[in-house]
Amino acid sequence: MEIFSKRNIDAAKADIEAAKKVVITAHLNPDGDALGSSLALYNYLKTTKEECHVILPNNIPDTFKWMPGCSEILIWDNENAQKLLAEADMIFLLDFNNASRVDKMQKALEESSAVKIMIDHHPNPQEGLCKHVFSDHEAAAACELLYIFCKECGFKLSIDSARCLYTGLVTDTGCFQFNCTTKRTFRVAGELAAFNFDRSEIIHHIYDSYSEGRMRLMGYVLTQKMVVFPQYHTAYISLTKAEADQFGYQVGDTEGFVNLPLCIGNIQFSAFFMERDGLIRCSFRSKGNFKVNTIAEHYFNGGGHDNAAGGKSYKPLNEIVDRFVSLLPKVTLPLCRRRPRMRKRINENPSQKLKE
Ligand code: 5GP
Ligand code: MN
């Protein structure tokens, strides 16, 4: 399972051994992979380092609060967090590859003279940001890469770290269902399973622990807010802050909503727009080889993976939705291409046309 060169591993390992004050960070609106990788590494390094802290740009969804070490995470608004980052001699950047993904922490991160190590699975890592870059955009999760990194460094992980890593694999692969799940992902999952923790408990924590408000909000968006364009194989959901608040919105409550329209057979492209933290967060998902990261990058100030991407905008929600709808005839062309060919075949065969 060796994917990183021994030279790069040895160089990073030497720096890790020399570091005294370590900070681990991950992207804004942390998901299972961001938290899983951060906490897996934290649970290892806290036993070997003088100081080690996980510092995140914003709050942690309730769904993940059971994770070992979660209560020790510091949020950037905390003054102590800012001091600790400034004093760190090593910073890990996990599950993101561009400083803009840590939002308010960006400046401090870029200005820090600490040795930076990136372990990530997004395309096109920002150049010049980190001394050590362990990046593979074919990995299903940052947790997959972190496991391999730790193994190659010879770090002995605990069962707590294994549970965190497994969480990241489960969430970023949608329970091992997306195509990003490879033979290697299953091998890593298999090696983690050998730690013998309760895997079904992890699934229950993530998927069967919704609040009543979240469940009702899901019903509301599906019945009232989902707009379907069968001709473009596309559907979107938009949500204002006021609507979300009616259901007692908590961070994480809309997690996964963007996937819901993809449950419709004919839908291959799905979007979710939400007013949040004074801006509009945009999420995009697709089935098959329709790439949403290029759409996120070109039109919504974002990026991401081929089938899961996101972006943001400071314009009003209705303007963004209008823009999205106006883009559909153009951006969904690859999804609609098969249609003219089918029509041609029907036209060529009049008897078939009659039967239709
Ligand atoms: P989500 O829709 O879950 O917020 O994000 C899905 C994926 O899109 C993330 O894993 C991340 O790779 C990417 N992503 C989300 N928001 C942004 C953004 O603002 N900028 C960039 N570059 N990527 C984003
Ligand atoms: Mn990830």
Side-chain angles (χ1 to χ4, degrees):
M1 235 193 292
E2 278 174 21
I3 58 166
F4 304 125
S5 81
K6 185 166 176 338
R7 198 160 144 252
N8 290 349
I9 288 285
D10 286 348
K13 198 177 162 189
D15 279 344
I16 294 171
E17 276 163 9
K20 289 193 166 62
K21 298 182 173 186
V22 179
V23 163
I24 299 165
T25 188
H27 60 78
L28 184 76
N29 301 325
D31 55 12
D33 192 29
L35 287 162
S37 50
S38 301
L39 290 171
L41 188 62
Y42 171 71
N43 281 302
Y44 171 73
L45 287 179
K46 76 176 181 184
T47 62
T48 62
K49 289 288 153 205
E50 202 175 286
E51 267 197 50
C52 178
H53 303 275
V54 179
I55 302 179
L56 296 176
N58 68 340
N59 288 340
I60 299 149
D62 283 347
T63 325
F64 298 113
K65 292 211 169 134
W66 58 272
M67 292 177 81
C70 199
S71 59
E72 289 137 58
I73 292 178
L74 297 167
I75 304 298
W76 184 243
D77 291 337
N78 180 319
E79 241 172 65
N80 196 28
Q82 303 182 16
K83 187 167 163 278
L84 289 167
L85 188 86
E87 288 171 355
D89 55 9
M90 170 160 282
I91 305 176
F92 280 89
L93 289 72
L94 305 181
D95 199 29
F96 72 102
N97 67 6
N98 190 300
S100 64
R101 295 284 286 134
V102 288
D103 201 47
K104 285 182 260 173
M105 286 174 69
Q106 175 170 1
K107 193 163 174 281
L109 182 66
E110 283 180 325
E111 284 174 358
S112 162
S113 58
V115 173
K116 294 178 198 129
I117 304 186
M118 178 192 293
I119 302 177
D120 178 63
H121 67 132
H122 293 89
N124 311 320
Q126 181 180 340
E127 277 180 28
L129 181 61
C130 293
K131 177 174 176 190
H132 304 281
V133 176
F134 297 92
S135 164
D136 176 5
H137 74 267
E138 287 181 1
C143 282
E144 179 177 322
L145 292 179
L146 179 63
Y147 175 78
I148 295 167
F149 175 83
C150 288
K151 194 172 168 185
E152 291 184 3
C153 284
F155 296 163
K156 212 173 148 14
L157 297 178
S158 65
I159 189 166
D160 277 348
S161 290
R163 290 170 75 213
C164 295
L165 291 170
Y166 191 79
T167 303
L169 291 187
V170 163
T171 51
D172 262 25
T173 60
C175 291
F176 305 103
Q177 67 173 303
F178 305 141
N179 273 341
C180 60
T181 315
T182 63
K183 202 162 69 175
R184 191 178 72 195
T185 319
F186 282 119
R187 250 157 60 200
V188 171
E191 291 187 20
L192 292 173
F195 281 82
N196 248 337
F197 50 86
D198 187 341
R199 295 191 296 285
S200 69
E201 186 197 23
I202 291 180
I203 302 292
H204 289 312
H205 274 307
I206 302 168
Y207 299 105
D208 309 331
S209 61
Y210 296 173
S211 66
E212 182 183 341
R214 172 178 155 99
M215 206 65 191
R216 293 196 187 281
L217 180 60
M218 191 187 287
Y220 171 73
V221 299
L222 284 177
T223 52
Q224 312 291 318
K225 303 298 314 247
M226 184 170 66
V227 182
V228 182
F229 296 91
Q231 70 276 36
Y232 300 129
H233 306 274
T234 299
Y236 78 86
I237 295 169
S238 66
L239 193 64
T240 64
K241 185 175 180 304
E243 286 171 315
D245 286 344
Q246 273 175 31
F247 293 87
Y249 173 80
Q250 300 286 315
V251 178
D253 277 358
T254 54
E255 195 64 43
F257 280 14
V258 63
N259 293 305
L260 296 172
L262 291 182
C263 297
I264 304 171
N266 180 40
I267 299 304
Q268 279 166 275
F269 176 28
S270 158
F272 178 64
F273 303 97
M274 183 180 177
E275 267 178 4
R276 186 173 160 186
D277 310 324
L279 52 86
I280 308 298
R281 301 244 24 118
C282 314
S283 285
F284 305 98
R285 297 290 186 274
S286 66
K287 287 185 206 158
N289 50 17
F290 182 71
K291 289 188 182 177
V292 289
N293 48 2
T294 46
I295 297 174
E297 204 177 312
H298 281 133
Y299 305 107
F300 298 94
N301 194 24
H305 309 278
D306 290 356
N307 296 113
K312 57 180 176 294
S313 173
Y314 291 92
K315 295 201 169 118
L317 181 60
N318 59 343
E319 250 181 62
I320 297 170
V321 168
D322 288 349
R323 178 168 163 71
F324 175 74
V325 173
S326 73
L327 288 169
L328 288 182
K330 182 170 142 193
V331 300
T332 62
L333 272 177
L335 296 176
C336 308
R337 254 183 216 138
R338 248 175 269 131
R339 303 188 129 226
R341 255 186 271 138
M342 270 171 67
R343 252 190 240 121
K344 197 170 164 223
R345 232 181 290 136
I346 293 166
N347 290 342
E348 275 164 3
N349 183 347
S351 62
Q352 188 180 346
K353 197 178 173 187
L354 277 178
K355 269 186 258 156
E356 301 269 323

